[in-house]
Amino acid sequence: MNAARPRPTKPLASARFRLALSYAAFLVAAGAVLLVGVYVVLRYVPNYPLTAANPSEAHLPIASRSKILTVLVHLSGALLAALALIGITGGWFLAGWVLRPLQRIDEAVRLAAGGRLDHRIRLTGINDEFRRLADAFDHMLDRLDDAFATQERFAANASHELRTPLAVTGTLLDVARQNPDGQDYPALVERLSVTNARAVGLTEALLRLADANAVTAAAAPLDLAGTVRAAVRESGDEARRYGVTWDLRLEAAPVLGDGALLAQLAANLVQNAVRHNTAPGTALAATGHDPRRGLTTLRIENTGPGYTPGAAARLREPFLRGEGRTRRRDGRGPGAGGGYGLGLALVARVVDVHGGTLDTAPREGGGLVVTVTLPAHPV
């Protein structure tokens, strides 16, 4: 059994009370210093009776230095007590005014701890430490809200996608069990093999995406142009089978990153350009380096079906294939019935890990333009 969570104990003194006490102590200390200074100054007053300069005021009491010092000492206690009372009262209200933003931040923290991630502080006013703290907390809540929403969508999509090949396998086995003599076992074994290959491939894709979500990219210099050229060469047989012709415009593209992740990025983009194309079709791979802006770019274009800007932007969502959540009918892609819809999702995560940006836009005349921008490594 899990240990019971300890209940939060009430502090002996709140921050507001401690601040008020500090203000009062400072005010009393300042008053004491002032009174001591006055006392020291009066010590140098000549010690003889002081008479009025105006003869008409001769009836007033005659004061001396000793009497003045005695009165000052007697009044000091009352003055310091009054300063302490003023300091505590005024400090209490001042501390409450200063700490009011913390009450809003504390309320937001408690709501977030209870599972509500839609609440935001949105602190206004001067850009002080409290405002920056509130803005940072709001930004953290935005990131957490997005992360949890993405995780929920991913879990729902993954469970749906993994259930499909398992259900197909179960159906094939049930039919074979009910009618063992009427089965074409070579065809059955082939269908089971294809379905199993799809489940294995989908699981491996999910694991790659999970690894990319957890990895911190290694820092090693490499030329992205060479990585893309190797990916195009590896997909040569598939491109020839689908009648896709490549146009390579690969210039030096120095980056600092994880070689394995960037190779997976290039492979996914190249495979998508081939599999979501027309027959015959063309594909373009171009890399470039802008030393003045410190950026390296990779652009992949391919002919194919037309997209709206919104549909092109949503292609990076997990399990969303080029034709929506349906499998291609021409059988392109790995597994049974097409790809897994994780290619651009993995590309987006790899780009994010490397501090870059990913843009997906429709190509004029049909097809897609995918542009990856990464920080360049100084040559």
Side-chain angles (χ1 to χ4, degrees):
M1 295 178 63
N2 295 331
R5 180 180 298 176
R7 295 182 178 180
T9 58
K10 188 175 182 180
L12 297 178
S14 65
R16 184 178 183 181
F17 177 75
R18 293 198 302 270
L19 283 176
L21 199 62
S22 301
Y23 295 154
F26 178 79
L27 191 59
V28 170
V33 171
L34 181 61
L35 290 173
V36 169
V38 173
Y39 185 86
V40 171
V41 170
L42 290 178
R43 293 283 297 178
Y44 291 96
V45 174
N47 192 16
Y48 54 79
L50 301 176
T51 59
N54 188 354
S56 64
E57 299 177 352
H59 63 280
L60 296 176
I62 298 175
S64 64
R65 184 185 68 181
S66 60
K67 290 184 178 181
I68 295 175
L69 291 177
T70 300
V71 172
L72 178 63
V73 170
H74 289 165
L75 290 177
S76 295
L79 291 173
L80 292 178
L83 287 175
L85 181 61
I86 294 173
I88 289 179
T89 305
W92 178 262
F93 289 103
L94 286 175
W97 176 71
V98 171
L99 296 177
R100 189 177 299 127
L102 281 183
Q103 296 176 359
R104 295 181 57 182
I105 296 175
D106 178 70
E107 179 186 2
V109 171
R110 292 179 184 275
L111 290 174
R116 278 194 56 187
L117 298 178
D118 58 340
H119 179 74
R120 298 294 181 270
I121 303 171
R122 295 188 177 91
L123 197 63
T124 58
I126 59 176
N127 189 22
D128 57 2
E129 289 84 355
F130 292 134
R131 171 78 178 275
R132 290 193 290 271
L133 176 62
D135 291 345
F137 190 78
D138 283 345
H139 179 66
M140 182 189 70
L141 287 178
D142 288 335
R143 296 291 300 273
L144 287 175
D145 198 14
D146 291 341
F148 279 111
T150 302
Q151 183 182 21
E152 290 176 358
R153 290 196 306 269
F154 181 82
N157 291 332
S159 62
H160 177 273
E161 294 292 328
L162 286 173
R163 188 184 300 117
T164 301
L166 295 178
V168 171
T169 301
T171 301
L172 292 175
L173 292 177
D174 288 340
V175 171
R177 186 183 300 112
Q178 294 173 4
N179 185 16
D181 297 330
Q183 295 298 319
D184 183 356
Y185 283 101
L188 176 63
V189 170
E190 178 64 24
R191 292 187 64 185
L192 287 174
S193 177
V194 171
T195 305
N196 181 73
R198 173 168 178 78
V200 172
L202 179 58
T203 303
E204 291 176 349
L206 288 170
L207 292 175
R208 286 197 300 271
L209 184 58
D211 290 341
N213 284 333
V215 75
T216 299
L222 58 90
D223 186 0
L224 191 58
T227 304
V228 175
R229 185 179 290 108
V232 172
R233 184 168 57 249
E234 291 175 2
S235 67
D237 292 340
E238 189 175 19
R240 284 188 292 272
R241 186 165 64 251
Y242 295 142
V244 176
T245 304
W246 277 98
D247 179 12
L248 301 182
R249 305 175 188 178
L250 303 177
E251 301 178 359
V255 294
L256 192 67
D258 188 299
L261 287 180
L262 291 176
Q264 186 67 50
L265 175 147
N268 284 8
L269 291 179
V270 168
Q271 289 172 1
N272 282 347
V274 171
R275 295 169 183 172
H276 299 280
N277 213 316
T278 56
T282 61
L284 167 70
T287 57
H289 173 221
D290 187 349
R292 184 170 53 86
R293 298 172 56 195
L295 297 175
T296 289
T297 57
L298 164 63
R299 189 175 84 257
I300 302 288
E301 298 183 14
N302 66 286
T303 54
Y307 297 95
T308 64
R314 290 181 59 242
L315 287 176
R316 68 189 70 184
E317 181 181 342
F319 301 105
L320 188 67
R321 302 178 182 88
E323 297 177 357
R325 291 185 56 84
T326 60
R327 300 189 181 99
R328 294 183 61 92
R329 297 178 179 177
D330 55 10
R332 294 189 181 189
Y340 311 114
L342 292 173
L344 282 179
L346 179 58
V347 169
R349 182 54 192 159
V350 172
V351 170
D352 185 59
V353 166
H354 288 81
T357 59
L358 173 67
D359 179 71
T360 53
R363 176 180 174 275
E364 185 177 357
L368 194 67
V369 179
V370 180
T371 304
V372 175
T373 305
L374 300 174
H377 178 61
V379 177

PDB file of all heavy atoms in Angstrom, residues 168-198:
ATOM      1  N   VAL A 168      -8.128  -8.445 -37.066  1.00  0.00           N
ATOM      2  CA  VAL A 168      -8.075  -9.178 -38.333  1.00  0.00           C
ATOM      3  C   VAL A 168      -7.485 -10.563 -38.116  1.00  0.00           C
ATOM      4  O   VAL A 168      -8.002 -11.579 -38.638  1.00  0.00           O
ATOM      5  CB  VAL A 168      -7.250  -8.376 -39.364  1.00  0.00           C
ATOM      6  CG1 VAL A 168      -6.991  -9.217 -40.613  1.00  0.00           C
ATOM      7  CG2 VAL A 168      -7.969  -7.090 -39.737  1.00  0.00           C
ATOM      8  N   THR A 169      -6.408 -10.621 -37.331  1.00  0.00           N
ATOM      9  CA  THR A 169      -5.783 -11.922 -37.042  1.00  0.00           C
ATOM     10  C   THR A 169      -6.767 -12.843 -36.335  1.00  0.00           C
ATOM     11  O   THR A 169      -6.895 -14.039 -36.665  1.00  0.00           O
ATOM     12  CB  THR A 169      -4.526 -11.724 -36.186  1.00  0.00           C
ATOM     13  OG1 THR A 169      -3.604 -10.888 -36.887  1.00  0.00           O
ATOM     14  CG2 THR A 169      -3.870 -13.055 -35.866  1.00  0.00           C
ATOM     15  N   GLY A 170      -7.478 -12.305 -35.337  1.00  0.00           N
ATOM     16  CA  GLY A 170      -8.445 -13.125 -34.623  1.00  0.00           C
ATOM     17  C   GLY A 170      -9.553 -13.626 -35.519  1.00  0.00           C
ATOM     18  O   GLY A 170      -9.998 -14.784 -35.416  1.00  0.00           O
ATOM     19  N   THR A 171     -10.028 -12.778 -36.417  1.00  0.00           N
ATOM     20  CA  THR A 171     -11.098 -13.188 -37.334  1.00  0.00           C
ATOM     21  C   THR A 171     -10.636 -14.308 -38.257  1.00  0.00           C
ATOM     22  O   THR A 171     -11.348 -15.298 -38.483  1.00  0.00           O
ATOM     23  CB  THR A 171     -11.564 -11.987 -38.160  1.00  0.00           C
ATOM     24  OG1 THR A 171     -12.043 -10.967 -37.280  1.00  0.00           O
ATOM     25  CG2 THR A 171     -12.666 -12.379 -39.123  1.00  0.00           C
ATOM     26  N   LEU A 172      -9.422 -14.155 -38.829  1.00  0.00           N
ATOM     27  CA  LEU A 172      -8.899 -15.193 -39.721  1.00  0.00           C
ATOM     28  C   LEU A 172      -8.750 -16.524 -38.992  1.00  0.00           C
ATOM     29  O   LEU A 172      -9.083 -17.596 -39.526  1.00  0.00           O
ATOM     30  CB  LEU A 172      -7.553 -14.744 -40.290  1.00  0.00           C
ATOM     31  CG  LEU A 172      -7.588 -13.561 -41.255  1.00  0.00           C
ATOM     32  CD1 LEU A 172      -6.165 -13.151 -41.644  1.00  0.00           C
ATOM     33  CD2 LEU A 172      -8.392 -13.899 -42.504  1.00  0.00           C
ATOM     34  N   LEU A 173      -8.269 -16.468 -37.756  1.00  0.00           N
ATOM     35  CA  LEU A 173      -8.089 -17.715 -37.006  1.00  0.00           C
ATOM     36  C   LEU A 173      -9.431 -18.331 -36.627  1.00  0.00           C
ATOM     37  O   LEU A 173      -9.590 -19.563 -36.652  1.00  0.00           O
ATOM     38  CB  LEU A 173      -7.261 -17.430 -35.742  1.00  0.00           C
ATOM     39  CG  LEU A 173      -5.800 -17.048 -35.990  1.00  0.00           C
ATOM     40  CD1 LEU A 173      -5.096 -16.710 -34.675  1.00  0.00           C
ATOM     41  CD2 LEU A 173      -5.057 -18.183 -36.691  1.00  0.00           C
ATOM     42  N   ASP A 174     -10.417 -17.505 -36.284  1.00  0.00           N
ATOM     43  CA  ASP A 174     -11.744 -18.054 -35.953  1.00  0.00           C
ATOM     44  C   ASP A 174     -12.382 -18.740 -37.163  1.00  0.00           C
ATOM     45  O   ASP A 174     -12.974 -19.823 -37.047  1.00  0.00           O
ATOM     46  CB  ASP A 174     -12.657 -16.930 -35.455  1.00  0.00           C
ATOM     47  CG  ASP A 174     -12.272 -16.449 -34.068  1.00  0.00           C
ATOM     48  OD1 ASP A 174     -11.573 -17.200 -33.355  1.00  0.00           O
ATOM     49  OD2 ASP A 174     -12.649 -15.310 -33.700  1.00  0.00           O
ATOM     50  N   VAL A 175     -12.267 -18.115 -38.333  1.00  0.00           N
ATOM     51  CA  VAL A 175     -12.834 -18.717 -39.548  1.00  0.00           C
ATOM     52  C   VAL A 175     -12.145 -20.033 -39.859  1.00  0.00           C
ATOM     53  O   VAL A 175     -12.797 -21.044 -40.223  1.00  0.00           O
ATOM     54  CB  VAL A 175     -12.716 -17.727 -40.735  1.00  0.00           C
ATOM     55  CG1 VAL A 175     -13.099 -18.418 -42.042  1.00  0.00           C
ATOM     56  CG2 VAL A 175     -13.586 -16.505 -40.494  1.00  0.00           C
ATOM     57  N   ALA A 176     -10.817 -20.074 -39.723  1.00  0.00           N
ATOM     58  CA  ALA A 176     -10.078 -21.315 -39.996  1.00  0.00           C
ATOM     59  C   ALA A 176     -10.433 -22.394 -38.987  1.00  0.00           C
ATOM     60  O   ALA A 176     -10.517 -23.588 -39.340  1.00  0.00           O
ATOM     61  CB  ALA A 176      -8.580 -21.039 -39.964  1.00  0.00           C
ATOM     62  N   ARG A 177     -10.688 -22.007 -37.740  1.00  0.00           N
ATOM     63  CA  ARG A 177     -11.038 -22.996 -36.722  1.00  0.00           C
ATOM     64  C   ARG A 177     -12.426 -23.576 -36.982  1.00  0.00           C
ATOM     65  O   ARG A 177     -12.660 -24.779 -36.779  1.00  0.00           O
ATOM     66  CB  ARG A 177     -10.985 -22.347 -35.345  1.00  0.00           C
ATOM     67  CG  ARG A 177     -11.192 -23.346 -34.195  1.00  0.00           C
ATOM     68  CD  ARG A 177     -11.199 -22.655 -32.837  1.00  0.00           C
ATOM     69  NE  ARG A 177      -9.947 -21.967 -32.607  1.00  0.00           N
ATOM     70  CZ  ARG A 177      -9.826 -20.635 -32.554  1.00  0.00           C
ATOM     71  NH1 ARG A 177     -10.888 -19.866 -32.752  1.00  0.00           N
ATOM     72  NH2 ARG A 177      -8.660 -20.086 -32.327  1.00  0.00           N
ATOM     73  N   GLN A 178     -13.372 -22.745 -37.433  1.00  0.00           N
ATOM     74  CA  GLN A 178     -14.733 -23.221 -37.683  1.00  0.00           C
ATOM     75  C   GLN A 178     -14.827 -24.071 -38.948  1.00  0.00           C
ATOM     76  O   GLN A 178     -15.667 -24.973 -39.032  1.00  0.00           O
ATOM     77  CB  GLN A 178     -15.676 -22.020 -37.787  1.00  0.00           C
ATOM     78  CG  GLN A 178     -15.823 -21.247 -36.484  1.00  0.00           C
ATOM     79  CD  GLN A 178     -16.630 -19.980 -36.666  1.00  0.00           C
ATOM     80  OE1 GLN A 178     -17.142 -19.714 -37.757  1.00  0.00           O
ATOM     81  NE2 GLN A 178     -16.742 -19.186 -35.600  1.00  0.00           N
ATOM     82  N   ASN A 179     -13.979 -23.804 -39.937  1.00  0.00           N
ATOM     83  CA  ASN A 179     -14.041 -24.566 -41.191  1.00  0.00           C
ATOM     84  C   ASN A 179     -12.618 -24.948 -41.606  1.00  0.00           C
ATOM     85  O   ASN A 179     -12.055 -24.408 -42.553  1.00  0.00           O
ATOM     86  CB  ASN A 179     -14.713 -23.726 -42.269  1.00  0.00           C
ATOM     87  CG  ASN A 179     -14.921 -24.500 -43.561  1.00  0.00           C
ATOM     88  OD1 ASN A 179     -14.841 -25.741 -43.575  1.00  0.00           O
ATOM     89  ND2 ASN A 179     -15.169 -23.790 -44.653  1.00  0.00           N
ATOM     90  N   PRO A 180     -12.001 -25.853 -40.872  1.00  0.00           N
ATOM     91  CA  PRO A 180     -10.598 -26.182 -41.156  1.00  0.00           C
ATOM     92  C   PRO A 180     -10.389 -26.841 -42.511  1.00  0.00           C
ATOM     93  O   PRO A 180      -9.311 -26.724 -43.097  1.00  0.00           O
ATOM     94  CB  PRO A 180     -10.224 -27.127 -40.008  1.00  0.00           C
ATOM     95  CG  PRO A 180     -11.516 -27.695 -39.540  1.00  0.00           C
ATOM     96  CD  PRO A 180     -12.538 -26.632 -39.760  1.00  0.00           C
ATOM     97  N   ASP A 181     -11.411 -27.558 -43.025  1.00  0.00           N
ATOM     98  CA  ASP A 181     -11.216 -28.268 -44.283  1.00  0.00           C
ATOM     99  C   ASP A 181     -11.399 -27.368 -45.500  1.00  0.00           C
ATOM    100  O   ASP A 181     -10.938 -27.723 -46.597  1.00  0.00           O
ATOM    101  CB  ASP A 181     -12.206 -29.446 -44.381  1.00  0.00           C
ATOM    102  CG  ASP A 181     -11.974 -30.473 -43.288  1.00  0.00           C
ATOM    103  OD1 ASP A 181     -10.800 -30.601 -42.864  1.00  0.00           O
ATOM    104  OD2 ASP A 181     -12.948 -31.109 -42.848  1.00  0.00           O
ATOM    105  N   GLY A 182     -12.052 -26.230 -45.349  1.00  0.00           N
ATOM    106  CA  GLY A 182     -12.333 -25.390 -46.503  1.00  0.00           C
ATOM    107  C   GLY A 182     -11.403 -24.193 -46.602  1.00  0.00           C
ATOM    108  O   GLY A 182     -11.802 -23.161 -47.173  1.00  0.00           O
ATOM    109  N   GLN A 183     -10.209 -24.314 -46.074  1.00  0.00           N
ATOM    110  CA  GLN A 183      -9.292 -23.177 -46.061  1.00  0.00           C
ATOM    111  C   GLN A 183      -8.176 -23.340 -47.091  1.00  0.00           C
ATOM    112  O   GLN A 183      -7.686 -24.448 -47.340  1.00  0.00           O
ATOM    113  CB  GLN A 183      -8.665 -23.023 -44.665  1.00  0.00           C
ATOM    114  CG  GLN A 183      -9.657 -22.680 -43.581  1.00  0.00           C
ATOM    115  CD  GLN A 183     -10.332 -21.344 -43.835  1.00  0.00           C
ATOM    116  OE1 GLN A 183      -9.686 -20.376 -44.250  1.00  0.00           O
ATOM    117  NE2 GLN A 183     -11.642 -21.308 -43.623  1.00  0.00           N
ATOM    118  N   ASP A 184      -7.815 -22.222 -47.688  1.00  0.00           N
ATOM    119  CA  ASP A 184      -6.621 -22.165 -48.537  1.00  0.00           C
ATOM    120  C   ASP A 184      -5.477 -21.746 -47.625  1.00  0.00           C
ATOM    121  O   ASP A 184      -5.216 -20.556 -47.405  1.00  0.00           O
ATOM    122  CB  ASP A 184      -6.831 -21.148 -49.660  1.00  0.00           C
ATOM    123  CG  ASP A 184      -5.647 -21.110 -50.621  1.00  0.00           C
ATOM    124  OD1 ASP A 184      -4.640 -21.815 -50.361  1.00  0.00           O
ATOM    125  OD2 ASP A 184      -5.711 -20.351 -51.609  1.00  0.00           O
ATOM    126  N   TYR A 185      -4.788 -22.745 -47.055  1.00  0.00           N
ATOM    127  CA  TYR A 185      -3.825 -22.444 -45.995  1.00  0.00           C
ATOM    128  C   TYR A 185      -2.640 -21.616 -46.467  1.00  0.00           C
ATOM    129  O   TYR A 185      -2.166 -20.752 -45.713  1.00  0.00           O
ATOM    130  CB  TYR A 185      -3.365 -23.762 -45.340  1.00  0.00           C
ATOM    131  CG  TYR A 185      -4.407 -24.310 -44.406  1.00  0.00           C
ATOM    132  CD1 TYR A 185      -5.238 -25.356 -44.799  1.00  0.00           C
ATOM    133  CD2 TYR A 185      -4.590 -23.761 -43.141  1.00  0.00           C
ATOM    134  CE1 TYR A 185      -6.216 -25.854 -43.946  1.00  0.00           C
ATOM    135  CE2 TYR A 185      -5.560 -24.257 -42.284  1.00  0.00           C
ATOM    136  CZ  TYR A 185      -6.374 -25.300 -42.691  1.00  0.00           C
ATOM    137  OH  TYR A 185      -7.338 -25.776 -41.856  1.00  0.00           O
ATOM    138  N   PRO A 186      -2.127 -21.806 -47.682  1.00  0.00           N
ATOM    139  CA  PRO A 186      -1.061 -20.888 -48.117  1.00  0.00           C
ATOM    140  C   PRO A 186      -1.520 -19.432 -48.141  1.00  0.00           C
ATOM    141  O   PRO A 186      -0.795 -18.532 -47.704  1.00  0.00           O
ATOM    142  CB  PRO A 186      -0.700 -21.406 -49.519  1.00  0.00           C
ATOM    143  CG  PRO A 186      -1.051 -22.855 -49.474  1.00  0.00           C
ATOM    144  CD  PRO A 186      -2.273 -22.932 -48.637  1.00  0.00           C
ATOM    145  N   ALA A 187      -2.769 -19.186 -48.637  1.00  0.00           N
ATOM    146  CA  ALA A 187      -3.281 -17.812 -48.658  1.00  0.00           C
ATOM    147  C   ALA A 187      -3.522 -17.307 -47.234  1.00  0.00           C
ATOM    148  O   ALA A 187      -3.271 -16.129 -46.919  1.00  0.00           O
ATOM    149  CB  ALA A 187      -4.571 -17.744 -49.466  1.00  0.00           C
ATOM    150  N   LEU A 188      -4.022 -18.216 -46.355  1.00  0.00           N
ATOM    151  CA  LEU A 188      -4.264 -17.816 -44.971  1.00  0.00           C
ATOM    152  C   LEU A 188      -2.961 -17.442 -44.278  1.00  0.00           C
ATOM    153  O   LEU A 188      -2.888 -16.427 -43.563  1.00  0.00           O
ATOM    154  CB  LEU A 188      -4.969 -18.956 -44.231  1.00  0.00           C
ATOM    155  CG  LEU A 188      -5.205 -18.736 -42.726  1.00  0.00           C
ATOM    156  CD1 LEU A 188      -6.129 -17.542 -42.507  1.00  0.00           C
ATOM    157  CD2 LEU A 188      -5.777 -19.992 -42.081  1.00  0.00           C
ATOM    158  N   VAL A 189      -1.936 -18.274 -44.480  1.00  0.00           N
ATOM    159  CA  VAL A 189      -0.638 -17.973 -43.871  1.00  0.00           C
ATOM    160  C   VAL A 189      -0.088 -16.652 -44.396  1.00  0.00           C
ATOM    161  O   VAL A 189       0.486 -15.845 -43.651  1.00  0.00           O
ATOM    162  CB  VAL A 189       0.341 -19.138 -44.124  1.00  0.00           C
ATOM    163  CG1 VAL A 189       1.753 -18.748 -43.713  1.00  0.00           C
ATOM    164  CG2 VAL A 189      -0.108 -20.382 -43.375  1.00  0.00           C
ATOM    165  N   GLU A 190      -0.281 -16.388 -45.690  1.00  0.00           N
ATOM    166  CA  GLU A 190       0.201 -15.138 -46.270  1.00  0.00           C
ATOM    167  C   GLU A 190      -0.519 -13.942 -45.655  1.00  0.00           C
ATOM    168  O   GLU A 190       0.111 -12.929 -45.297  1.00  0.00           O
ATOM    169  CB  GLU A 190      -0.003 -15.175 -47.786  1.00  0.00           C
ATOM    170  CG  GLU A 190       0.428 -13.901 -48.499  1.00  0.00           C
ATOM    171  CD  GLU A 190       1.916 -13.624 -48.386  1.00  0.00           C
ATOM    172  OE1 GLU A 190       2.687 -14.581 -48.168  1.00  0.00           O
ATOM    173  OE2 GLU A 190       2.313 -12.445 -48.508  1.00  0.00           O
ATOM    174  N   ARG A 191      -1.835 -14.035 -45.512  1.00  0.00           N
ATOM    175  CA  ARG A 191      -2.587 -12.927 -44.922  1.00  0.00           C
ATOM    176  C   ARG A 191      -2.203 -12.726 -43.464  1.00  0.00           C
ATOM    177  O   ARG A 191      -2.064 -11.594 -42.983  1.00  0.00           O
ATOM    178  CB  ARG A 191      -4.094 -13.194 -45.036  1.00  0.00           C
ATOM    179  CG  ARG A 191      -4.615 -13.170 -46.463  1.00  0.00           C
ATOM    180  CD  ARG A 191      -6.121 -13.281 -46.483  1.00  0.00           C
ATOM    181  NE  ARG A 191      -6.756 -12.136 -45.838  1.00  0.00           N
ATOM    182  CZ  ARG A 191      -8.061 -12.030 -45.638  1.00  0.00           C
ATOM    183  NH1 ARG A 191      -8.872 -13.015 -46.054  1.00  0.00           N
ATOM    184  NH2 ARG A 191      -8.569 -10.969 -45.050  1.00  0.00           N
ATOM    185  N   LEU A 192      -2.027 -13.830 -42.729  1.00  0.00           N
ATOM    186  CA  LEU A 192      -1.594 -13.699 -41.335  1.00  0.00           C
ATOM    187  C   LEU A 192      -0.204 -13.084 -41.241  1.00  0.00           C
ATOM    188  O   LEU A 192       0.087 -12.278 -40.349  1.00  0.00           O
ATOM    189  CB  LEU A 192      -1.610 -15.071 -40.652  1.00  0.00           C
ATOM    190  CG  LEU A 192      -2.988 -15.651 -40.333  1.00  0.00           C
ATOM    191  CD1 LEU A 192      -2.850 -17.070 -39.802  1.00  0.00           C
ATOM    192  CD2 LEU A 192      -3.714 -14.775 -39.315  1.00  0.00           C
ATOM    193  N   SER A 193       0.658 -13.465 -42.177  1.00  0.00           N
ATOM    194  CA  SER A 193       2.009 -12.918 -42.177  1.00  0.00           C
ATOM    195  C   SER A 193       2.001 -11.427 -42.453  1.00  0.00           C
ATOM    196  O   SER A 193       2.706 -10.642 -41.791  1.00  0.00           O
ATOM    197  CB  SER A 193       2.860 -13.657 -43.216  1.00  0.00           C
ATOM    198  OG  SER A 193       4.160 -13.097 -43.286  1.00  0.00           O
ATOM    199  N   VAL A 194       1.186 -11.003 -43.430  1.00  0.00           N
ATOM    200  CA  VAL A 194       1.100  -9.581 -43.757  1.00  0.00           C
ATOM    201  C   VAL A 194       0.519  -8.792 -42.590  1.00  0.00           C
ATOM    202  O   VAL A 194       1.013  -7.720 -42.215  1.00  0.00           O
ATOM    203  CB  VAL A 194       0.265  -9.381 -45.036  1.00  0.00           C
ATOM    204  CG1 VAL A 194      -0.023  -7.905 -45.266  1.00  0.00           C
ATOM    205  CG2 VAL A 194       0.990  -9.966 -46.236  1.00  0.00           C
ATOM    206  N   THR A 195      -0.543  -9.342 -41.986  1.00  0.00           N
ATOM    207  CA  THR A 195      -1.169  -8.650 -40.859  1.00  0.00           C
ATOM    208  C   THR A 195      -0.223  -8.571 -39.671  1.00  0.00           C
ATOM    209  O   THR A 195      -0.131  -7.547 -38.988  1.00  0.00           O
ATOM    210  CB  THR A 195      -2.459  -9.370 -40.450  1.00  0.00           C
ATOM    211  OG1 THR A 195      -3.320  -9.486 -41.585  1.00  0.00           O
ATOM    212  CG2 THR A 195      -3.180  -8.616 -39.357  1.00  0.00           C
ATOM    213  N   ASN A 196       0.497  -9.668 -39.420  1.00  0.00           N
ATOM    214  CA  ASN A 196       1.462  -9.662 -38.322  1.00  0.00           C
ATOM    215  C   ASN A 196       2.592  -8.672 -38.594  1.00  0.00           C
ATOM    216  O   ASN A 196       3.056  -7.973 -37.682  1.00  0.00           O
ATOM    217  CB  ASN A 196       2.014 -11.071 -38.121  1.00  0.00           C
ATOM    218  CG  ASN A 196       3.005 -11.129 -36.980  1.00  0.00           C
ATOM    219  OD1 ASN A 196       2.633 -11.052 -35.816  1.00  0.00           O
ATOM    220  ND2 ASN A 196       4.291 -11.264 -37.304  1.00  0.00           N
ATOM    221  N   ALA A 197       3.037  -8.622 -39.866  1.00  0.00           N
ATOM    222  CA  ALA A 197       4.096  -7.666 -40.211  1.00  0.00           C
ATOM    223  C   ALA A 197       3.627  -6.236 -39.980  1.00  0.00           C
ATOM    224  O   ALA A 197       4.394  -5.379 -39.535  1.00  0.00           O
ATOM    225  CB  ALA A 197       4.518  -7.856 -41.663  1.00  0.00           C
ATOM    226  N   ARG A 198       2.353  -5.984 -40.282  1.00  0.00           N
ATOM    227  CA  ARG A 198       1.831  -4.639 -40.034  1.00  0.00           C
ATOM    228  C   ARG A 198       1.816  -4.332 -38.538  1.00  0.00           C
ATOM    229  O   ARG A 198       2.184  -3.233 -38.111  1.00  0.00           O
ATOM    230  CB  ARG A 198       0.428  -4.498 -40.614  1.00  0.00           C
ATOM    231  CG  ARG A 198      -0.202  -3.181 -40.220  1.00  0.00           C
ATOM    232  CD  ARG A 198      -1.451  -2.849 -40.976  1.00  0.00           C
ATOM    233  NE  ARG A 198      -1.986  -1.592 -40.488  1.00  0.00           N
ATOM    234  CZ  ARG A 198      -1.512  -0.394 -40.808  1.00  0.00           C
ATOM    235  NH1 ARG A 198      -0.492  -0.306 -41.647  1.00  0.00           N
ATOM    236  NH2 ARG A 198      -2.039   0.700 -40.310  1.00  0.00           N
TER     237      ARG A 198
END
